[in-house]
Amino acid sequence: MRKPIIAGNWKMNMTPAEAKELVGALVPLVKDATCDVVICPPFVDLCAVKPLLEGTNIHLGVQNIHWAEKGAFTGEISANMLKAHGVEFAIIGHSERRQYFGETDETVNLRAKAAIAAGITPIICVGESLEQRESGVTDSIVTGQTRAALAGIDAVDVRKLVIAYEPIWAIGTGRTATKEDANATIAVIRGAIREACGEETADAVRIQYGGSMNPKNAAELMSMPEIDGGLIGGASLKAEDFSRVVNY
Ligand code: PGA
């Protein structure tokens, strides 16, 4: 019922020339994908990549968005500017932004609302640290992050957005969550959406797993009923690897 969605988070990698090469190699490899395919390059690569995506099944995303329409926000980029580049998705609240750039539940909520207002689909990231997992507070952490991210967003808009459950300890570490753990925590996130927005909305929202997802573990993770896709970091930087995840 929910169409799977696999997104590549390139993080701070790829010059425009490298980006073109990667996309050029990727297009034929994912053309028959049965899931939605998204790539999220750095802002400076958007112009290089966009023409190569015309007429393909790959959607364009970014890794952040500012909440204001315009103004004195040095170094930031607004949703309208991104919309003008044909951007359809925006990763919001990635743990690296929360950890290194002062992103809070409140700014995640503001960014998500700005994306929605511009017609861009947010991919909202939530997830616990290793310390939080070991002290048994994972469920309350992801529930709190989910509630805060969705505060004040209408159910009709919530059902269209994407959530990425990314346990921080699994990101870039090669240490993937077990499919059972990932499935269970995603069920908790869906429960938080159910509480906030009702059953129908909770059933419609696509929730990805992210954290060292790769060609070897993708099929196993995707076999779980609650897991509707993946947010892929390291393995999205090689066309061959990313296509194998997409074609799990
Ligand atoms: P990873 O990153 O696949 O390299 O673990 C995932 C992410 O941070 O979105």
Side-chain angles (χ1 to χ4, degrees):
M1 178 185 88
R2 294 183 294 265
K3 189 177 186 190
I5 175 167
I6 307 276
N9 175 10
W10 291 8
K11 308 195 180 184
M12 195 171 73
N13 294 288
M14 301 285 156
T15 64
E18 289 166 343
K20 277 197 216 171
E21 199 180 320
L22 175 54
V23 172
L26 188 62
V27 165
L29 295 177
V30 300
K31 67 176 176 25
D32 299 320
T34 54
C35 62
D36 284 336
V37 184
V38 183
I39 55 167
C40 302
F43 294 127
V44 293
D45 295 335
L46 294 178
C47 289
V49 154
K50 179 64 186 160
L52 301 180
L53 301 182
E54 303 291 352
T56 76
N57 60 335
I58 304 177
H59 299 272
L60 188 57
V62 289
Q63 302 168 21
N64 193 19
I65 220 164
H66 195 262
W67 54 85
E69 251 175 63
K70 59 180 174 179
F73 298 99
T74 303
E76 293 294 320
I77 309 221
S78 76
N80 286 342
M81 294 170 180
L82 296 168
K83 188 70 184 172
H85 274 280
V87 167
E88 296 172 88
F89 291 86
I91 298 170
I92 289 173
H94 190 280
S95 62
E96 285 151 16
R97 295 222 48 93
R98 294 180 191 252
Q99 188 179 349
Y100 305 129
F101 302 101
E103 194 79 67
T104 64
D105 283 344
E106 195 189 354
T107 55
V108 168
N109 178 245
L110 289 171
R111 291 183 204 276
K113 285 175 174 162
I116 291 166
I120 294 174
T121 302
I123 300 176
I124 298 172
C125 302
V126 301
E128 82 287 0
S129 67
L130 184 59
E131 197 187 353
Q132 288 164 337
R133 172 149 292 259
E134 283 173 348
S135 53
V137 296
T138 296
D139 291 1
S140 68
I141 291 292
V142 298
T143 297
Q145 288 174 333
T146 304
R147 265 196 212 136
L150 303 183
I153 301 177
D154 289 342
V156 288
D157 292 321
V158 170
R159 75 182 52 189
K160 287 182 270 180
L161 57 73
V162 178
I163 303 220
Y165 166 56
E166 298 205 303
I168 295 168
W169 47 270
I171 295 175
T173 57
R175 193 180 155 195
T176 319
T178 64
K179 61 182 195 300
E180 291 82 9
D181 282 350
N183 192 70
T185 305
I186 288 176
V188 169
I189 294 167
R190 203 177 299 288
I193 301 169
R194 188 176 300 117
E195 234 172 69
C197 306
E199 185 88 36
E200 233 179 279
T201 300
D203 285 345
V205 174
R206 294 184 290 179
I207 309 182
Q208 302 171 312
Y209 167 78
S212 300
M213 191 161 164
N214 59 45
K216 288 203 187 88
N217 57 32
E220 188 178 298
L221 287 159
M222 291 302 294
S223 73
M224 302 305 282
E226 293 287 353
I227 303 180
D228 304 319
L231 184 55
I232 319 300
S236 73
L237 297 174
K238 288 194 182 132
E240 175 70 25
D241 287 352
F242 188 56
S243 71
R244 284 171 60 207
V245 175
V246 164
N247 299 317
Y248 62 90

